[in-house]
Amino acid sequence: MDDRERIDALAADGRITREEADRLLSVLDDIDQTEQELGGVDDELRKQSGQGPEANRAPRVAEAPEGPEALQAPESPREPGPATAAKTARTHQGGTAPEGLQWVEVNVLAGDLEIEVDKDSKTPTAVRSGAGEISLDRTERGFKLGSFGSKNDSILGRIFSGISQGNTKLTIPPGWGIRLQMKAGEVNIHGPLAFLSGHLLAGDLDADEVHGVDLNVSAGDIDLGLKISEGSNLVHAVAGDINVRLLPGSDVKVSGRVSIGDLSLPEGWSRRRTGLGAAFEHTLGEGRGALSLELSTGDLDVELGDQYNDGGDNG
């Protein structure tokens, strides 16, 4: 009897509800899909490094220049306005981001990424150390950070050349957003970020202060300081731990669910059991913003940032 048959048997015996069984089956589907995607990325990395059986046909990894390579984008023709003052518009994943927000799209295969929000910065800059090459190109809504190869490379070659190892440091001005499309690596964000969106397949993500979020992580740990006071916001993970610190100034209705795992909440917050997991709802302040935390399997930990005065009501 496999896992899916066991779940169906538990529902048939009345030990769990049909709704709980369906949710557990959905978790297994998510995990299976994540494992398949990770296997595909591992195959590509092996090809690049010459370890796989098809290594001879793998795209060539660009040689690293001597010393860090620094790229600076052309200065933006307009200054980004404060994110909190803008109207909101629905993003591609269901959260809401400020309308007219300028973005840096990060589209890389793998590697470690450090992002710093610098109040003295006027336009994004990127510095690469280690193997691979990077490009920082202007787009209609900001800039795109990615890897590149020679003009003779195929489309796949341009995607998979560079950014297979090493570190990239990205510096952005205040009021900008980051949209991630990464397969594997660690992401660290320092300073107040207007909005964080996108998908990380496998890796850990740590951010000091994010004012809006629409994030999906398939496998890895998430540690976020969130200051939410408007719009719809989402953090979703398949496998790993989510640790969220709600910072002073948050005015948000927050809800969360872990399908399989533990749930830790601030003192006085209420929770309800849901099969092998738990769920909760709570309102901070007037609840002007909305935050949904969804975790398939792992531990979900919500805490209040230092000196936060929770004047909200239990959900």
Side-chain angles (χ1 to χ4, degrees), residues 146-195:
S147 59
F148 66 95
S150 69
K151 293 181 179 180
N152 295 327
D153 282 343
S154 66
I155 293 177
L156 285 177
R158 291 196 296 270
I159 291 175
F160 291 115
S161 62
I163 315 295
S164 61
Q165 53 185 324
N167 303 306
T168 301
K169 181 175 181 180
L170 173 66
T171 302
I172 65 172
W176 282 61
I178 293 292
R179 180 172 290 133
L180 293 175
Q181 290 297 330
M182 289 184 64
K183 296 299 184 183
E186 293 187 3
V187 180
N188 292 281
I189 304 173
H190 308 287
L193 180 66
F195 205 93

Side-chain angles (χ1 to χ4, degrees), residues 236-283:
H236 172 264
V238 176
D241 297 336
I242 298 178
N243 180 36
V244 168
R245 300 178 309 283
L246 296 171
L247 302 176
S250 294
D251 190 332
V252 59
K253 181 176 181 180
V254 56
S255 62
R257 176 189 293 269
V258 54
S259 297
I260 303 175
D262 295 329
L263 172 63
S264 177
L265 298 172
E267 184 178 357
W269 289 31
S270 62
R271 78 197 69 202
R272 63 184 185 275
R273 297 299 303 179
T274 58
L276 299 179
F280 78 96
E281 291 182 357
H282 192 89
T283 300

Side-chain angles (χ1 to χ4, degrees), residues 9 12 53 57 74 77 83 119 164 210 249 252 292 298 300 315:
R57 289 184 284 160
K119 63 181 179 62
S164 61
V210 178
V252 59
S292 178
L300 173 59

Side-chain angles (χ1 to χ4, degrees), residues 80-81 117-122 172-176 192 194:
V117 181
D118 184 356
K119 63 181 179 62
D120 296 323
S121 174
K122 299 299 182 182
I172 65 172
W176 282 61

Side-chain angles (χ1 to χ4, degrees), residues 10 14-15 24 69 93-94 104 126 142 148 169 177 183 190 271 307:
L10 289 173
R15 298 174 63 183
L24 292 176
E69 176 188 4
Q93 290 183 333
V104 176
F148 66 95
K169 181 175 181 180
K183 296 299 184 183
H190 308 287
R271 78 197 69 202
Q307 300 179 347

